[in-house]
Amino acid sequence: DAKTTQPPSMDCAEGRAANLPCNHSTISGNEYVYWYRQIHSQGPQYIIHGLKNNETNEMASLIITEDRKSSTLILPHATLRDTAVYYCIVRVSLDSSYKLIFGSGTRLLVRP
Amino acid sequence: EPEVTQTPSHQVTQMGQEVILRCVPISNHLYFYWYRQILGQKVEFLVSFYNNEISEKSEIFDDQFSVERPDGSNFTLKIRSTKLEDSAMYFCASNQDRSSYEQYFGPGTRLTVT
């Protein structure tokens, strides 16, 4: 299964953009990149996903490099409530469904 | 907004005992999963379940583990004879169909084996 590598921790100031990098150099052509976050020990929460193109939704933007070996999650205006562990994930297709392969995550601290 | 629920939120059991963790996936979802997270570690896939059978299981999911959908709403994870190393958060997740992009996770059950 493809692995992801993330920095263990980052911080940013409230109101500024948070840019979280991820390496997934062994990703296969049909495997999606997903981002989830986990606040305290709550269940992981979906943020965004992409295959090749950059994606944006109401929570974040996802920038995927052309060779698909890395990506960056961008929280455009971080708030204190965005303090969480952010997981870069490869979605692996199964015969009848899919599974999420979590990395170690980046602990993001948003400073007041 | 519909959500995945799990009970109990915390289960304490003695080594060697059987435990059943319960989940109620979102009502129109067809694909179900269990993941676990040992304290301080990453979330790990355990098993996926569709059409009343296991689609895939990880190396962690050995003969001590089993899953069941006993009725139209519950999805359970049973550990037959718990070990100390089974202590972890167990998350249930579900998605509607094979192409749906979001797996919805429940709040988790913290299992403590003493």
Side-chain angles (χ1 to χ4, degrees):
Chain A
D1 291 334
K3 274 187 63 175
T4 61
T5 305
Q6 301 175 251
S9 63
M10 296 181 66
D11 66 74
C12 76
E14 188 179 18
R16 305 299 293 268
N19 297 284
L20 289 83
C22 177
N23 286 323
H24 32 79
S25 58
T26 59
I27 195 169
S28 298
N30 62 348
E31 291 175 340
Y32 284 78
V33 177
Y34 274 61
W35 284 82
Y36 273 70
R37 73 180 182 184
Q38 189 176 27
I39 297 173
H40 298 301
S41 292
Q42 296 175 20
Q45 176 192 21
Y46 168 83
I47 300 172
I48 199 167
H49 77 287
L51 184 62
K52 295 179 186 176
N53 300 320
N54 299 336
E55 302 289 343
T56 295
N57 63 19
E58 64 277 4
M59 286 183 73
S61 295
L62 175 60
I63 308 298
I64 303 175
T65 57
E66 198 168 332
D67 62 9
R68 299 207 334 118
K69 292 185 177 180
S70 64
S71 60
T72 301
L73 177 75
I74 301 172
L75 307 178
H77 306 287
T79 69
L80 298 179
R81 283 186 291 184
D82 292 323
T83 291
V85 178
Y86 287 77
Y87 293 100
C88 174
I89 293 164
V90 171
R91 189 187 100 165
V92 175
S93 291
L94 307 173
D95 284 342
S96 59
S97 60
Y98 62 86
K99 64 182 178 183
L100 301 178
I101 306 299
F102 284 72
S104 299
T106 294
R107 186 173 297 277
L108 175 68
L109 173 65
V110 181
R111 295 177 277 103
Chain B
E1 185 176 321
E3 57 183 17
V4 176
T5 58
Q6 292 184 241
T7 53
S9 56
H10 190 192
Q11 172 91 46
V12 181
T13 189
Q14 290 191 326
M15 197 167 51
Q17 295 296 304
E18 174 183 287
V19 293
I20 297 176
L21 309 183
R22 291 182 166 78
C23 168
V24 178
I26 295 173
S27 63
N28 62 344
H29 285 191
L30 301 176
Y31 296 82
F32 314 112
Y33 311 82
W34 284 100
Y35 292 80
R36 82 168 185 192
Q37 185 176 33
I38 295 171
L39 185 63
Q41 298 187 22
K42 60 185 177 181
V43 178
E44 301 173 287
F45 168 80
L46 289 179
V47 66
S48 63
F49 189 86
Y50 167 69
N51 201 26
N52 279 321
E53 60 183 25
I54 290 174
S55 347
E56 174 146 334
K57 56 186 181 180
S58 71
E59 291 176 355
I60 303 166
F61 195 89
D62 61 23
D63 292 343
Q64 293 299 311
F65 291 87
S66 62
V67 289
E68 194 179 30
R69 188 155 163 81
D71 52 44
S73 58
N74 290 283
F75 179 51
T76 62
L77 174 69
K78 182 194 291 186
I79 309 175
R80 261 180 273 283
S81 177
T82 50
K83 308 185 193 75
L84 295 176
E85 54 264 37
D86 294 327
S87 294
M89 281 289 283
Y90 288 82
F91 295 105
C92 173
S94 68
N95 56 270
Q96 185 172 16
D97 54 46
R98 190 172 189 278
S99 62
S100 55
Y101 57 81
E102 182 176 353
Q103 267 185 26
Y104 293 80
F105 282 76
T109 292
R110 178 170 299 283
L111 176 65
T112 302
V113 182
T114 62

